[in-house]
Amino acid sequence: MMINSFPHTRLRRNRHDDATRRLVSENQLHIDNLIWPIFVCEGENQRQKVAAMPGVERVSLDLVVEHVRPAVELGIPAIALFPVTPMSKRDEYGTEALNKDNLMCRAARTLKAAFPQLALIGDVALDPYTSHGHDGLIKNGQILNDESVDILSKQALNQAQAGIDIIAPSDMMDGRVRAIRQLLDENGLQTTRIMAYAAKYASAFYGPFRDALGSDALLHGDKKTYQMNPANSDEALREVALDLQEGADMVMVKPGMPYLDIIHRVREHFKAPTFAYQVSGEYSMIMAAVENGWLDREKSIMESLMAFRRAGCHGILTYFAVEAARILRGQ
Ligand code: PBG
């Protein structure tokens, strides 16, 4: 890198005023980069606050179209759906995941009919449906891999047939992307995309999400035999390489802000469409500080999102998506 020395070179010149700063800005955050995760629940006229995520609600299907409309009007390209399954519909095998009329499928049909252009992302994992809160099947205290992959691929097919555009396996079983791709293709769904949660860590930052889904109290043990060890970085590249080989169209790193180094390595190494999930705990941390008056709301939201772009993300799943889009539109 060529650099003249002071006083010839003064880097502060390019920071002199807003116009110059905009001219030399290396990264931009755009509404196209935003994906909004939402929680849907059973019942009618339900808007339930999630205690651990101020500002986030679980919404019943009769209200979901109006709930999502502002995101569509602001130009957000995609939303990610998460169903809150009542205990009565959960079992050891996550059977409800394969029900063609489960909440996820009904939500997909409702939203596709209202907003045909909006991309719907479906999370594939069994944790919303299992009585034990794990993402796969369990036997003698072990999470089974291949048997879980079998159900997960059927879950993916069920979602795709209901209108989900982008299948997002978040289960971290080995080989699930290949199995999902194969089953989708066999069923004429060659254009259904796969966004793999490729490098997903066993993280404490999912805590508020499990509260939103009601799987927190259920979860026996932890997810360390399938989600990654936060100490590892090279392993993330191997996970991403496998998912891309198996047919993933896009890859994701999760959580986001504590793992910006991983995002950067993944983007540099593979040059593939790279996404990050600014997870519930990251949202709650910012909101807690904002509510205490310790952080400026707009500035910290926008800085946190720009950091993902700088690290190499094409897009970000964020509970701030609608608010960020409003800020970007100057509303
Ligand atoms: C389910 C899933 C989780 C999240 C997304 N999909 C939780 C988990 O793995 O326990 C977390 C999202 C968030 O914290 O915002 N497999």
Side-chain angles (χ1 to χ4, degrees):
M1 199 188 291
M2 268 292 291
I3 191 152
N4 287 314
S5 57
F6 178 86
H8 243 64
T9 299
R10 289 177 183 269
L11 292 182
R12 286 187 55 198
R13 270 188 220 113
N14 280 344
R15 301 176 201 141
H16 178 265
D17 50 68
D18 184 57
T20 313
R21 287 194 295 270
R22 280 161 48 211
L23 283 172
V24 302
S25 179
E26 297 175 42
N27 293 287
Q28 267 84 34
L29 178 69
H30 192 269
I31 290 173
D32 291 347
N33 310 128
L34 300 172
I35 298 170
W36 191 34
I38 66 162
F39 299 107
V40 292
C41 66
E42 298 282 2
E44 271 171 41
N45 205 21
Q46 296 292 312
R47 272 189 179 278
Q48 306 166 354
K49 290 190 164 54
V50 178
M53 300 177 74
V56 171
E57 293 170 327
R58 311 179 190 95
V59 175
S60 56
L61 291 192
D62 53 332
L63 303 182
V64 76
V65 168
E66 288 321 303
H67 185 60
V68 169
R69 191 181 302 282
V72 176
E73 287 176 356
L74 285 159
I76 289 174
I79 63 168
L81 291 169
F82 293 95
V84 182
T85 313
M87 203 50 215
S88 60
K89 291 191 176 168
R90 288 173 177 259
D91 65 20
E92 213 183 321
Y93 309 104
T95 318
E96 179 67 7
L98 307 187
N99 176 358
K100 289 196 178 329
D101 279 316
N102 68 21
L103 187 56
M104 183 73 156
C105 293
R106 280 180 280 135
R109 285 194 289 266
T110 304
L111 288 165
K112 220 20 351 155
F115 308 117
Q117 316 297 338
L118 177 69
L120 301 179
I121 300 180
D123 199 82
V124 167
L126 295 183
D127 59 317
Y129 309 103
T130 50
S131 46
H132 44 74
H134 277 290
D135 295 14
L137 300 177
I138 208 170
K139 194 174 181 186
N140 301 329
Q142 303 285 320
I143 308 298
L144 304 174
N145 193 84
D146 301 12
E147 295 81 350
S148 299
V149 167
D150 193 48
I151 299 201
L152 291 162
S153 34
K154 291 176 183 147
Q155 177 186 17
L157 177 62
N158 189 32
Q159 291 185 6
Q161 287 174 334
I164 294 288
D165 302 284
I166 304 177
I167 294 295
S170 72
D171 54 285
M172 289 299 279
M173 299 299 129
D174 289 323
R176 86 280 205 217
V177 173
R178 182 187 304 276
I180 291 171
R181 185 72 271 157
Q182 197 177 330
L183 193 62
L184 292 174
D185 287 1
E186 283 167 12
N187 284 274
L189 293 161
Q190 286 86 354
T191 60
T192 301
R193 285 119 278 162
I194 298 178
M195 177 188 284
Y197 286 75
K200 176 172 178 182
Y201 287 85
S203 172
F205 293 99
Y206 309 148
F209 172 95
R210 292 180 192 163
D211 172 33
L213 242 57
S215 53
D216 204 17
L218 301 176
L219 186 63
H220 297 296
D222 56 48
K223 300 191 177 184
K224 288 181 186 170
T225 71
Y226 46 108
Q227 300 180 347
M228 283 179 59
N229 178 352
N232 294 355
S233 170
D234 289 340
E235 190 188 359
L237 298 188
R238 299 182 72 199
E239 283 286 1
V240 171
L242 284 168
D243 283 1
L244 288 170
Q245 274 166 18
E246 291 179 24
D249 304 289
M250 313 168 218
V251 292
M252 194 203 299
V253 174
K254 179 182 174 197
M257 222 152 61
Y259 295 84
L260 291 176
D261 57 322
I262 308 297
I263 296 167
H264 187 250
R265 284 190 80 187
V266 165
R267 174 65 192 274
E268 290 281 299
H269 197 90
F270 295 100
K271 314 279 185 206
T274 305
F275 293 79
Y277 199 140
Q278 182 180 49
V279 298
S280 56
E282 299 175 63
Y283 173 88
S284 300
M285 282 198 297
I286 292 177
M287 287 305 291
V290 164
E291 292 200 333
N292 273 292
W294 296 336
L295 282 178
D296 179 274
R297 180 175 185 130
E298 261 190 33
K299 288 186 188 133
S300 32
I301 292 173
M302 297 316 266
E303 184 177 333
S304 74
L305 295 174
M306 184 61 86
F308 289 105
R309 297 283 291 152
R310 193 190 63 242
C313 277
H314 292 83
I316 309 128
L317 289 94
T318 172
Y319 301 98
F320 291 122
V322 170
E323 182 163 359
R326 286 210 174 97
I327 296 169
L328 288 168
R329 288 229 187 275
Q331 290 175 10

